[in-house]
């Protein structure tokens, strides 16, 4: 009971776990990229470190400049937009580029929400201006990668847990042992995610682990962590239960042997 309570308590902070691709904000203090990032954020705003690019297919438009200006004006009204410094067609007038500067940092929830809001306007732009749009740029691509990896975490966990249940049931010819192993594995994963959140997002014990500032963890860490913990948990489960079975067989053999 004490172990269950302890692991459950450690797992609770995992609800605040955020994932993202690393930006220069997490670089070593004093390094060139970190100094540049901090100076840009200080003098121009966090969003200048991660601008968004809205691309529009305007090849069929007879007023490309008007389309660009109209879309830029609508984007300026969105919450979370600091500015729209650029809205122009290319030389061939077949593609329009709009640069959007968010209010928040590249890895902030506000910037992620802004990307969703801009993409939600795609049907409106199609109907109003007759152009197809897409949101791209390093920041948007990083958000998309993080979202895809985050969405894959649960199916990956279900696949791993399901296969482990089947394999352990076949090996030990038991239901209770695989279920106990699975519950222990899930509690271990939750506690590991919770500890990761406490260090990297809450900043607890940051100096002990050489963590200079809080930030989202790298996008593929949860899947790697789950895979490593699965290998460790199931290996030791097999070792321990096999040894218990071996000792049980020896006890039975000794008890049945003639005196």
């Amino acid at each position: 009971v004490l172990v269950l309570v302890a692991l459950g308590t450690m797992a609770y902070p995992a609800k605040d776990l955020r994932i993202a691709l690393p930006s220069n904000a997490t670089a070593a203090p004093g390094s060139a990229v970190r100094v540049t990032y901090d100076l840009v954020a200080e003098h121009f705003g966090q969003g200048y470190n991660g601008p968004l690019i809205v691309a529009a297919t305007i090849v069929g438009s007879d007023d490309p400049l008007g389309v660009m200006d109209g879309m830029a004006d609508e984007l300026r009204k969105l919450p979370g937009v600091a500015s729209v410094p650029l809205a122009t067609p290319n030389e061939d007038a077949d593609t329009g580029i709009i640069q959007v500067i968010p209010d928040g940092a590249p890895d902030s929830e506000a910037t992620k929400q802004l990307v969703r809001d801009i993409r939600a306007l795609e049907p409106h732009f199609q109907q109003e201006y007759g152009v197809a749009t897409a949101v791209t740029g390093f920041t948007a691509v990083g958000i998309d990668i993080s979202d895809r990896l985050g969405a894959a975490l649960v199916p990956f966990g279900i696949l791993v847990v399901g296969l482990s249940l089947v394999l352990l049931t076949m090996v030990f010819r038991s239901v209770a042992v695989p279920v106990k192993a699975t519950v222990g594995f899930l509690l271990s994963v939750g506690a590991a995610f919770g500890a990761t959140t406490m260090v990297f997002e809450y900043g607890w014990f940051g100096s002990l682990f050489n963590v200079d500032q809080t930030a989202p963890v790298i996008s593929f860490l949860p899947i790697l962590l789950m895979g490593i913990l699965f290998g460790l948990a199931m290996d030791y489960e097999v070792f321990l239960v096999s040894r218990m079975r071996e000792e049980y067989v020896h006890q039975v053999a000794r008890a049945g042997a003639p005196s």
Side-chain angles (χ1 to χ4, degrees):
V1 171
L2 290 175
V3 170
L4 291 176
V5 171
L7 290 176
T9 302
M10 287 190 64
Y12 182 74
K15 63 182 179 59
D16 297 325
L17 181 66
R18 294 191 301 128
I19 59 175
L21 292 183
S23 66
N24 290 335
T26 60
S31 62
V33 292
R34 176 65 180 276
V35 170
T36 302
Y37 182 97
D38 292 340
L39 286 174
V40 170
E42 179 183 355
H43 294 284
F44 298 96
Q46 292 275 9
Y48 273 87
N49 285 302
L52 304 173
I53 301 298
V54 180
T57 304
I58 57 175
V59 64
S61 174
D62 55 2
D63 184 17
L65 291 176
V67 169
M68 290 290 95
D69 291 340
M71 293 176 61
D73 289 339
E74 293 196 39
L75 291 173
R76 289 188 181 97
K77 298 176 183 177
L78 288 177
V81 174
S83 65
V84 181
L86 175 67
T88 182
N90 64 354
E91 293 182 359
D92 297 329
D94 58 5
T95 303
I97 298 296
I98 303 175
Q99 187 183 52
V100 179
I101 306 299
D103 281 328
D107 56 4
S108 67
E109 286 297 323
T111 301
K112 291 181 65 175
Q113 185 58 49
L114 178 59
V115 171
R116 298 189 192 104
D117 293 341
I118 296 175
R119 286 175 173 162
L121 289 175
E122 182 179 0
H124 167 72
F125 288 148
Q126 183 72 49
Q127 181 177 4
E128 183 71 18
Y129 303 103
V131 298
T133 59
V135 184
T136 184
F138 178 81
T139 301
V141 170
I143 291 172
D144 291 343
I145 292 174
S146 299
D147 287 345
R148 291 292 296 271
L149 289 173
L153 187 60
V154 172
F156 174 73
I158 293 174
L159 177 64
V160 168
V161 170
L163 289 177
S164 69
L165 279 172
V166 173
L167 291 175
L168 290 178
T169 300
M170 294 171 60
V171 170
F172 295 119
R173 299 179 184 180
S174 168
V175 174
V177 171
V179 170
K180 187 267 296 180
T182 300
V183 171
F185 165 64
L186 293 177
L187 285 172
S188 300
V189 169
F193 286 173
T196 302
T197 303
M198 287 187 284
V199 172
F200 291 97
E201 302 213 25
Y202 294 171
W204 298 356
F205 310 108
S207 59
L208 181 64
F209 294 98
N210 199 28
V211 177
D212 300 309
Q213 66 179 40
T214 59
V217 299
I218 195 166
S219 304
F220 51 79
L221 175 65
I223 289 181
L224 285 178
L225 186 59
M226 182 178 290
I228 293 170
L229 284 176
F230 174 78
L232 291 173
M234 294 309 161
D235 276 354
Y236 282 108
E237 182 70 22
V238 172
F239 297 157
L240 290 172
V241 176
S242 298
R243 182 64 185 92
M244 292 162 62
R245 171 64 180 171
E246 180 184 356
E247 182 64 20
Y248 172 77
V249 171
H250 288 170
Q251 292 281 0
V252 170
R254 284 194 293 267
S259 58

